[in-house]
Amino acid sequence: MIRDHQRRLEGIVALVLFGLTIPAANWLIGNAGTVCVPNGPCLVPVWPGIMAPSGVLMVGLALVLRDLVQRRLGTLAGLGAIAVGALISALLAPAAIVIASVSAFLLSELADFAIYTPLQRRRFLTAVFASGMVGLVVDSIVFLHLAFGSLDFLAGQVIGKAWMVLFALPLMHLLRRRDERLGLAAA
């Protein structure tokens, strides 16, 4: 009973953090970066000589947090998080990019879900990595194509989001080890 309560509590925390990544990404893209393009996104360096819209950092984190929601609360909660996240994205995205934002969010999170779900019970870290990589590529291509009609920032988008997934992997490893030690099973 205590383990179930802990698992649910951690799932709710992951769900709240997941939900917060969406407004954070929208705020960052318009307000924070080393340079802000007139009538365009604010950019951050993600690799020497490569810039990306600053919201990419939150998008990479969102992919990992959605995996945690599913691990802690179950498949239906993971799908529910995607639906609610798409709604939040629609409500918060600037009007000029709302279709791109919602489409990219839905398609990337569903791609993440499709890869993560069959892998997660046997190979949790592989599932987080593979689903995150597929999700971030889908998100980048769909968003850039629909929002700007160009893939000019594709390398930066992919690299920026990949950094967040890679930074999360050691934490996911520690989480899995702690789960095993405490006897916490995935939902």
Side-chain angles (χ1 to χ4, degrees):
M1 187 66 169
I2 292 172
R3 288 183 193 135
D4 286 341
H5 176 71
Q6 181 176 355
R7 186 176 44 80
R8 277 193 303 276
L9 179 62
E10 290 176 8
I12 291 167
V13 169
L15 181 60
V16 169
L17 292 173
F18 171 77
L20 291 174
T21 62
I22 300 160
N26 281 295
W27 183 85
L28 285 169
I29 201 166
N31 296 291
T34 56
V35 63
C36 292
V37 177
N39 298 319
C42 292
L43 305 171
V44 294
V46 293
W47 191 260
I50 299 178
M51 303 289 279
S54 55
V56 301
L57 303 174
M58 289 296 110
V59 175
L61 183 58
L63 292 164
V64 173
L65 287 169
R66 209 265 337 131
D67 291 346
L68 280 179
V69 168
Q70 183 175 339
R71 183 169 180 83
R72 291 296 189 239
L73 300 177
T75 303
L76 288 177
L79 288 171
I82 293 169
V84 170
L87 178 63
I88 293 170
S89 186
L91 294 172
L92 296 178
I97 61 168
V98 72
I99 299 296
S101 182
V102 172
S103 298
F105 182 87
L106 269 174
L107 292 173
S108 67
E109 289 291 343
L110 288 171
D112 178 281
F113 181 88
I115 301 297
Y116 175 81
T117 300
L119 291 176
Q120 58 107 7
R121 293 224 185 253
R122 292 172 309 200
R123 304 192 63 70
F124 175 60
L125 290 178
T126 301
V128 171
F129 176 74
S131 66
M133 291 297 129
V134 169
L136 68 87
V137 169
V138 169
D139 184 83
S140 299
I141 291 171
V142 171
F143 181 78
L144 290 172
H145 176 70
L146 292 177
F148 307 116
S150 162
L151 298 179
D152 288 347
F153 291 115
L154 182 60
Q157 287 261 339
V158 168
I159 292 168
K161 293 170 191 171
W163 280 123
M164 295 306 287
V165 172
L166 292 173
F167 286 145
L169 286 178
L171 298 173
M172 297 302 100
H173 175 72
L174 292 173
L175 176 73
R176 189 195 72 215
R177 289 185 58 203
R178 189 201 67 161
D179 287 355
E180 289 170 354
R181 190 176 68 250
L182 296 176
L184 282 174

